[in-house]
Amino acid sequence: MIEPAIPAGSLRRRAADWRVRLFARSETAAETIPDRVQRAGLMVWVPVILSCGIALWFALRFEPGGAAYLAVAAAAAGLVAAAAVVRRRALAGRIGWERADVLRLLATALALACTGFLLAGLRAHLVAAPVLDFRYYGPIEGRVAGIDRSARDRMRLTLDHVVLRDMAPDRTPRQVRLSLTEPQDLPPPGQRVMLTGHLGPPPGPAEPNGFDFRRASFFDGLGAVGYTRNPVVTVAPAPPRLLDATALRLRLSRAMQEAIGGQEGAVAAALMTGDRSGIAEATNQTMRDSNLYHIVSISGLHMSMLAAFVYGALRLALAAIQATVGRRFAGWPIHKAAATGALAASAGYLWLSAGGVPTERAFLMVAVMLGAILLDRRAISLRTVAVAAIAILAVAPEALVTPGFQMSFAATASLILVFPAWSRHANRLPWIVRGAALLVLSSLIAGIATSPIAAAHFNRSAQYGLIANLLVVPVMGAVVMPAGVIAAVLGPLGLAGPALWAMGLGTRWMLFVGERVADWGGAVLAVPAPPWIVLPLGGVGATVALLALDAPAGRRAARWLVRGGVALLLAAAVIWVTARRPDLLVAGDGSVVGVMTAQGRALAKPAGAFTADSWLRADGDVAGADLAAARPAWSGAKGTRETAFAGRPLVHLSGKGAADRVAAACAGGGIVVLHGVAPAGADGPCLLLDERRLRDIGAQAAWVSGGEIRWLSAEAASGARLWSSARVRRDRGIGGQRPRWPGKTEATAGKHDSAGTRTERQTSAAPVDGAGPDGMGSADTAP
């Protein structure tokens, strides 16, 4: 049978045209954004569509069962088969190529979205591990797996191979993390230790739709958090290991800190090894306020600088050898040998730093870039970004909802898309200012791309970050990273001193710039937290609007995609600007209550500092808990604070004897929040929120409209998922229980209370939110 001719507008012809342009276009020719996207082909859409399926899985308010996954897998297979049938019909002339292209693209896109959904579910069940559902105090034994520093400047130990008293191994968390409240010598990684401490489950969100530490902990395999006031006792020394990245990382970090000294030494160690435990929280805050904190986290900046320095140094060295003693090897591809060496150095850097999404993404992009050099292909392209994104989403789909993933790819893709415009005009500038202009442009573009994401996640915007980065990044590339590589090479010979001295000068300059910029007036702008839908809308809108430019000019579908993307961006902006923060917030343990006033949120008392600070940051308020507690709204004695809310009394009871005052407080109706457990039969004509009830439904938020109160609980906002519901974990056989795959989803499980929130039965004796009985806040349990 003779196959019909393929029309010029078909998918196959367009792909062929792109391949022709790929090899015919000069390496130095200027490109437009559509050219750059066209060269990447349809590959750039694959991670976008995978992300849609992954995002749908995370957005569910119930845990899908086995039947749901089978249905999605069957749908994906059916869509792939349908695409194949459409192609055969087009080849047979039974359907037009234009229509076939549309149907095939639609079927492929839906199949990829289904694949993303399945990847997220598979990953969740692969990493699923027991989570402690009650408060535990007693002996804790385990192997030291990691050491870091908390937001309260306390050292923390992460233990694996955990043993807890009277707890079966299949119910014991895979990993636990404990803050050390007292200074003491830290055990080396791999050493088996024993201590006595408090443990509890990872805490839930500070407010509904807030950051859920339980989800992050679940995917990290962290099943309990807590603290100890007791010394750490060695049970067994660390066994000798030939390749122990953690031990080597901490050993090198300690050596660098001792050689350089001070916080500049701690920063230098973080840059080269990824160990940030030596950086004080005050230094971290300074770098956040000056927008230099990204430099401390190993990401694309560090990986690209290291790879570029190693590649350039090896190529120059090999060229010198070839020109002098190795003339017989003239014509050998020394650039490929240099690329191989740079790839090996980058892989070693990744191994030493223990990875992380920004580091893994950076390594994948550097690896693809260097691989392109080895294969005589273009090194920097959107295809490189797409391949890195696909690899990360396939291995760790949960990375999609992290700020590191979002900001890394937003910055990288934006720079690649905008760089062609720079290429067209760079030669018009004098060579002496070309480098500085490129630095300004790249910093500006990366800042524009990542600032909205950073503001949405962290509720702050560094106003002078561009200035700080312009002063610091060149020093990083010219001094710090090259000196670090030289120190690594000369270290085994005992000759690393001068290189470490130069590296210390560079990090000292970075800290100096950070301190000066952070001290400028208005350096940090507080930004209210957006509703959860804003980031997905804005991200999809920006991506679609840019990638839709790949279609030929005049294509109606492309124009509509661009318009749709811009519309999504505008919708996200409008939702963010017009969003209304809750009029009332109640902590998940009842320790703190905050009402919105004309002066900002007023706290009943300056307790629950971590939760209260999270509320204030989300409000776009720079005040601390003490200042917020001093705002005029509450009255009454220390343990019985009163105010009015929606025309009814609101009472917060705390302290000694608070439970005995519940009956009197409830007699007046209204809302009563008790930091404690109410006695049996204490209910009256009031809405009572005590610890027993709040541990079921989590933190509470309320809005007043027309005199009516609309409630939303953290439990209702997050739903019954593997990381948030003990019942769901029990049904799936996590924690020593036999798995049960229900015929119905958990969407209808549970019951609703008078506040309009769903509760679930607890099987544990005394679940807690992760804070210890001494009132220690959650700052030590946060990431």
Side-chain angles (χ1 to χ4, degrees):
M1 185 182 73
I2 300 176
E3 293 188 359
I6 303 174
S10 71
L11 176 64
R12 294 175 64 196
R13 173 59 61 83
R14 277 186 283 157
D17 290 344
W18 290 336
R19 285 195 294 270
V20 170
R21 286 197 296 269
L22 177 63
F23 295 106
R25 187 184 302 268
S26 169
E27 289 289 323
T28 59
E31 295 176 295
T32 63
I33 291 179
D35 290 333
R36 183 57 63 93
V37 180
Q38 285 177 358
R39 289 171 65 85
L42 299 177
M43 175 70 76
V44 296
W45 289 96
V46 174
V48 177
I49 301 170
L50 277 177
S51 297
C52 292
I54 296 170
L56 176 62
W57 187 87
F58 277 101
L60 294 178
R61 295 297 181 259
F62 61 91
E63 193 63 37
Y69 288 119
L70 287 175
V72 174
L79 289 163
V80 172
V85 169
V86 168
R87 181 180 182 276
R88 288 197 298 269
R89 287 180 174 271
L91 290 172
R94 299 178 182 177
I95 186 174
W97 276 104
E98 285 291 337
R99 185 178 180 188
D101 279 349
V102 173
L103 293 176
R104 289 175 62 199
L105 287 174
L106 181 60
T108 304
L110 292 175
L112 284 172
C114 292
T115 303
F117 187 95
L118 294 173
L119 285 172
L122 176 63
R123 171 68 173 171
H125 286 84
L126 287 177
V127 303
V131 177
L132 197 65
D133 293 316
F134 55 91
R135 178 176 289 141
Y136 172 90
Y137 174 75
I140 304 167
E141 183 179 337
R143 185 185 67 175
V144 179
I147 301 173
D148 67 336
R149 185 185 295 266
S150 76
R152 300 178 68 180
D153 266 339
R154 288 175 173 167
M155 300 307 298
R156 299 187 297 197
L157 299 180
T158 299
L159 307 180
D160 60 8
H161 300 289
V162 180
V163 176
L164 300 179
R165 182 181 57 192
D166 299 331
M167 189 171 296
D170 56 359
R171 298 190 63 192
T172 304
R174 182 181 300 165
Q175 288 187 335
V176 301
R177 195 171 69 190
L178 297 114
S179 293
L180 307 179
T181 61
E182 303 296 332
Q184 56 182 293
D185 294 334
L186 299 175
Q191 181 170 293
R192 191 159 188 86
V193 299
M194 178 180 287
L195 52 93
T196 301
H198 298 264
L199 287 176
E207 63 176 278
N209 289 320
F211 171 71
D212 196 344
F213 181 58
R214 298 172 301 182
R215 184 177 66 192
S217 300
F218 176 82
F219 283 100
D220 288 339
L222 190 64
V225 293
Y227 66 97
T228 180
R229 295 192 180 94
N230 302 306
V232 179
V233 180
T234 299
V235 174
R241 294 177 60 184
L242 181 61
L243 294 176
D244 189 342
T246 302
L248 178 60
R249 177 171 61 254
L250 294 179
R251 187 163 61 249
L252 291 177
S253 173
R254 184 164 52 251
M256 293 182 68
Q257 292 182 52
E258 292 174 354
I260 298 176
Q263 285 298 288
E264 53 267 29
V267 172
L271 293 175
M272 295 307 298
T273 68
D275 175 31
R276 289 181 279 179
S277 61
I279 303 179
E281 181 58 25
T283 302
N284 285 328
Q285 192 60 49
T286 296
M287 289 188 287
R288 293 189 192 103
D289 293 345
S290 58
N291 199 27
L292 294 176
Y293 191 72
H294 67 96
I295 294 179
V296 181
S297 174
I298 296 178
S299 59
L301 177 67
H302 312 75
M303 191 71 72
S304 60
M305 286 180 176
L306 179 137
F309 176 75
V310 173
Y311 176 79
L314 285 177
R315 189 165 183 178
L316 286 174
L318 291 174
I321 294 173
Q322 193 178 63
T324 54
V325 298
R327 294 181 181 177
R328 72 184 69 177
F329 303 112
W332 281 37
I334 60 174
H335 65 291
K336 293 187 178 183
T340 303
L343 182 59
S346 301
Y349 194 32
L350 173 68
W351 172 76
L352 180 64
S353 64
V357 170
T359 314
E360 292 167 356
R361 188 269 311 164
F363 172 75
L364 286 170
M365 294 192 63
V366 166
V368 172
M369 180 185 70
L370 295 173
I373 294 175
L374 294 174
L375 297 175
D376 297 318
R377 297 291 188 267
R378 178 179 288 270
I380 302 176
S381 69
L382 279 180
R383 187 184 296 271
T384 307
V385 182
V387 169
I390 293 170
I392 291 177
L393 292 175
V395 175
E398 71 274 11
L400 176 68
V401 298
T402 63
F405 179 92
Q406 297 166 10
M407 295 173 68
S408 294
F409 281 97
T412 305
S414 299
L415 289 171
I416 291 177
L417 286 170
V418 174
F419 189 75
W422 162 261
S423 299
R424 292 197 302 271
H425 302 288
N427 291 332
R428 301 179 183 178
L429 299 175
W431 68 269
I432 197 170
V433 299
R434 200 173 299 162
L438 177 59
L439 177 62
V440 172
L441 177 65
S442 59
S443 298
L444 180 62
I445 296 302
I448 292 174
T450 59
S451 291
I453 303 174
H457 282 288
F458 307 117
N459 312 126
R460 56 195 299 119
S461 175
Q463 300 297 89
Y464 309 124
L466 178 60
I467 299 175
N469 279 273
L470 291 177
L471 293 173
V472 169
V473 171
V475 177
M476 286 288 303
V479 178
V480 177
M481 294 305 294
V485 175
I486 295 172
V489 173
L490 299 179
L493 303 176
L495 302 175
L500 291 177
W501 174 80
M503 194 176 185
L505 289 180
T507 54
R508 190 174 296 116
W509 168 253
M510 185 182 78
L511 293 176
F512 173 79
V513 171
E515 291 171 359
R516 293 300 178 271
V517 171
D519 288 340
W520 292 350
V524 178
L525 176 66
V527 181
W532 69 270
I533 194 62
V534 167
L535 272 177
L537 278 180
V540 172
T543 304
V544 168
L546 288 174
L547 298 187
L549 297 173
D550 71 332
R555 287 290 297 272
R556 180 180 302 177
R559 292 199 302 269
W560 279 107
L561 281 175
V562 173
R563 292 170 183 169
V566 173
L568 291 178
L569 275 173
L570 292 176
V574 170
I575 293 174
W576 193 345
V577 172
T578 60
R580 178 182 166 195
R581 289 286 298 157
D583 297 308
L584 171 65
L585 286 170
V586 180
D589 59 354
S591 60
V592 61
V593 181
V595 295
M596 186 63 76
T597 68
Q599 294 79 29
R601 193 168 304 277
L603 304 179
K605 64 175 187 176
F610 182 80
T611 298
D613 288 342
S614 298
W615 292 351
L616 295 169
R617 284 197 305 270
D619 291 338
D621 193 341
V622 296
D626 291 334
L627 180 58
R631 287 169 175 163
W634 297 84
S635 61
K638 182 178 180 181
T640 306
R641 303 289 287 166
E642 302 179 8
T643 189
F645 181 72
R648 61 193 74 180
L650 170 62
V651 183
H652 181 222
L653 303 176
S654 62
K656 186 176 180 180
D660 299 332
R661 302 192 293 272
V662 170
C666 271
I671 304 167
V672 176
V673 179
L674 171 63
H675 185 203
V677 178
D683 290 340
C686 70
L687 172 62
L688 176 61
L689 299 174
D690 68 338
E691 278 193 35
R692 181 185 291 113
R693 189 176 188 188
L694 287 170
R695 72 168 61 109
D696 291 341
I697 59 180
Q700 292 281 302
W703 293 262
V704 179
S705 180
E708 298 294 326
I709 302 177
R710 177 173 65 87
W711 291 90
L712 178 65
S713 70
E715 190 269 350
S718 61
R721 303 303 304 268
L722 281 170
W723 53 83
S724 63
S725 172
R727 174 174 51 77
V728 172
R729 291 191 293 271
R730 187 168 59 250
D731 290 344
R732 300 298 188 268
I734 302 170
Q737 301 293 328
R738 192 158 139 194
R740 178 175 67 86
W741 293 94
K744 297 181 180 180
T745 64
E746 283 79 1
T748 57
K751 59 184 180 178
H752 291 264
D753 61 14
S754 59
T757 54
R758 193 173 77 247
T759 65
E760 64 182 41
R761 291 180 298 175
Q762 301 287 327
T763 59
S764 56
V768 293
D769 67 352
D774 66 340
M776 184 176 70
S778 302
D780 290 300
T781 64

